[in-house]
Structures are given as C-alpha cells and as structure tokens.
C-alpha cells in the first residue's frame, strides 16, 4: 500500500550542486505533479505530467527539470542549486481523466536546504 | 486568472469550540473543482473533500462540514466541537476543467486547537 513514494526525505546541498528528487507511484495514475511549499505561501506547481513522455511547466519551473519515461516515475532534477530552492517538495499523482479531475495523492515530502 | 484566497492566516480556538475556515476563489470557468486538504504537524497532505462546480449541496462528514456558495465564490469549511487533533494547516485548492488536474492552492490557514 505504498501510494506515492519520495526520496530522499531530507537533503542539504551546497550552492551550485545538483541533485535529483525521486518520485514513484504504484497506483497506475497517468497524472503526476511536483509542488514546492514555502512557509506561508501554500503550494506552487513546478512541473506536471499527464502521461509517460509528456511534461509541462507549472507556475515556478525555473531551475528545475523533469522527465517521465514511465508511468510510475517522475523525478525532479535541480541543476545548480540556489538558496532560493530551499523548500519542501511534494510529489503527487492523480487519477484525473479528460472528463474528471480527481484528488491528488501526495508523497510525504522532501525537505531540501541549500547552503 | 485562477486564484484562491484564504484570508485567515492563523486561528486559535479552545477545544470544543466550532471554527470556520474561509476560502474564496476566482475562476472564469463554469466547470471547476474545489478541494480541501489538511496538513498535520507531521507534514503530509491529507485529502478531505472534492466538490465540482455543479454540486452546491453542503456536505457533512462527522464533525466536518463544507458550505459551497457559487454566488459568493466561497467554499468554507467548518469544524464542529474542535479537538486538539484538528490542529493543522488547512489548504483550499481550485482546479479548472483543463484536463491537467492542476491545483491552485490558497496560502493555507493554520488552526491551533488548545486543550
């Protein structure tokens, strides 16, 4: 009963380093999302994917990249980490279809600190 | 443009009090979905409810109830007889019927229930 699994849960990066946040879901959901949560700001959408091989930018994509080679996995890549990317990152998936928007199922979050 | 406003940043109540969390949204679409999520201190996001724009019936689930009013673009959430375990950040979110399932989140309301 895994749902959405994110790794790592915590990470400290130095400015300029790169890393990948992993996200996997076992619910066969076509739709997947990456959000970041900053204190008092709610969640902002970074990237999303409506199916394998399809990705698109959200509200705050700068400094990030994603790929979706399989239905299950949706990794988020941070290139040249900056202090502004210090945040909590949430991956989510949804059984949204063309005619129905379903609820998002969230992972437990990944807390990233860039020093 | 879509927007969700949760004007109450923090609310503090004493256990057993009733409390209402406000949510006001903006959208040009006639078909859309509204959500509430709970984020307890442990950090995960827990789905509470989804409503589509054609269903204005109020909903009750135990001590939780939701009042959806299209005339005022509001989707308020009431907790009756609050308990300490209700302490959390609550997010209201909006999704247009754009086949992407993207959610726009409000800034969140932090609810503290004191014993």
């Amino acid at each position: 009963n895994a749902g959405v699994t994110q790794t790592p849960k915590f990470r400290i990066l130095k400015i300029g380093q790169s890393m990948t946040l992993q996200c996997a879901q076992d619910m066969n959901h076509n739709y997947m999302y990456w959000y970041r949560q900053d204190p008092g700001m709610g969640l902002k959408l970074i990237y999303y994917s409506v199916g394998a091989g399809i990705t698109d930018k959200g509200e705050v994509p700068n400094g990030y990249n994603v790929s979706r080679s399989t239905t299950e996995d949706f990794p988020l890549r941070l290139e040249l980490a900056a202090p502004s990317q210090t945040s909590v990152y949430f991956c989510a998936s949804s059984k949204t279809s063309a005619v129905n928007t379903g609820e998002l199922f969230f992972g437990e979050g990944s807390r990233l600190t860039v020093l | 443009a879509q927007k969700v406003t949760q004007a109450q940043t923090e609310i503090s109540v004493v256990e057993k009090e009733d409390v209402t969390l406000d949510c006001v949204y903006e959208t040009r679409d006639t078909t859309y979905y509204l959500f509430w999520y709970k984020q307890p201190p442990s950090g995960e996001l827990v789905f509470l409810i989804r409503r589509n724009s054609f269903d204005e019936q109020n909903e009750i689930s135990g001590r939780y109830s939701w009042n959806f009013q299209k005339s005022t673009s509001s989707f308020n959430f009431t907790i009756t007889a609050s308990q300490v375990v209700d302490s959390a950040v609550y997010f209201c979110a909006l999704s247009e019927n754009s086949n992407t399932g993207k959610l726009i989140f409000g800034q969140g309301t932090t609810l503290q229930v004191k014993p």
Side-chain angles (χ1 to χ4, degrees):
Chain A
N1 200 16
V4 178
T5 303
Q6 289 182 237
T7 55
K9 289 186 169 45
F10 302 94
R11 182 73 186 267
I12 297 175
L13 282 180
K14 294 182 179 178
I15 294 172
Q17 286 185 322
S18 301
M19 75 158 298
T20 299
L21 298 177
Q22 301 291 343
C23 176
Q25 54 92 9
D26 61 359
M27 297 173 282
N28 201 31
H29 289 168
N30 281 326
Y31 292 67
M32 295 188 74
Y33 312 85
W34 275 105
Y35 284 87
R36 60 177 285 173
Q37 182 181 18
D38 300 313
M41 299 294 291
L43 281 78
K44 302 289 186 184
L45 182 65
I46 305 171
Y47 271 94
Y48 68 99
S49 168
V50 299
I54 305 170
T55 62
D56 209 345
K57 296 178 180 179
E59 189 179 358
V60 290
N62 291 342
Y64 307 94
N65 276 302
V66 293
S67 60
R68 186 90 184 275
S69 56
T70 67
T71 299
E72 294 78 18
D73 301 300
F74 190 42
L76 177 71
R77 178 84 177 160
L78 281 73
E79 305 281 3
L80 298 174
S84 61
Q85 292 178 304
T86 294
S87 189
V88 180
Y89 292 84
F90 286 97
C91 179
S93 71
S94 168
K95 53 186 175 181
T96 289
S97 68
V99 295
N100 186 31
T101 297
E103 78 258 29
L104 268 59
F105 294 79
F106 284 88
E108 294 182 343
S110 298
R111 184 176 295 274
L112 176 67
T113 302
V114 182
L115 300 174
Chain B
Q2 289 180 292
K3 186 178 179 182
V4 177
T5 302
Q6 295 179 254
Q8 304 150 308
T9 305
E10 293 184 17
I11 301 175
S12 182
V13 299
V14 176
E15 208 170 16
K16 299 184 182 177
E17 285 185 7
D18 299 347
V19 58
T20 295
L21 309 181
D22 297 333
C23 173
V24 174
Y25 62 91
E26 297 176 27
T27 180
R28 295 178 184 171
D29 272 15
T30 55
T31 302
Y32 52 89
Y33 296 82
L34 294 163
F35 300 79
W36 276 95
Y37 280 84
K38 174 182 179 180
Q39 186 178 40
S42 52
E44 77 274 21
L45 284 143
V46 179
F47 167 76
L48 295 178
I49 189 171
R50 179 190 69 164
R51 285 310 245 198
N52 73 52
S53 52
F54 297 110
D55 184 0
E56 287 192 73
Q57 276 194 326
N58 291 332
E59 182 154 340
I60 298 174
S61 176
R63 296 184 296 106
Y64 294 172
S65 62
W66 290 269
N67 183 355
F68 177 26
Q69 293 197 349
K70 289 178 76 172
S71 60
T72 56
S73 297
S74 65
F75 186 43
N76 297 336
F77 172 32
T78 297
I79 302 174
T80 303
S82 60
Q83 300 176 1
V84 173
V85 293
D86 295 327
S87 297
V89 182
Y90 291 87
F91 292 99
C92 180
L94 165 71
S95 178
E96 291 177 338
N97 191 30
S98 62
N99 303 333
T100 64
K102 296 185 295 182
L103 296 190
I104 302 297
F105 284 82
Q107 300 94 322
T109 297
T110 300
L111 174 65
Q112 183 180 27
V113 181
K114 298 178 180 177

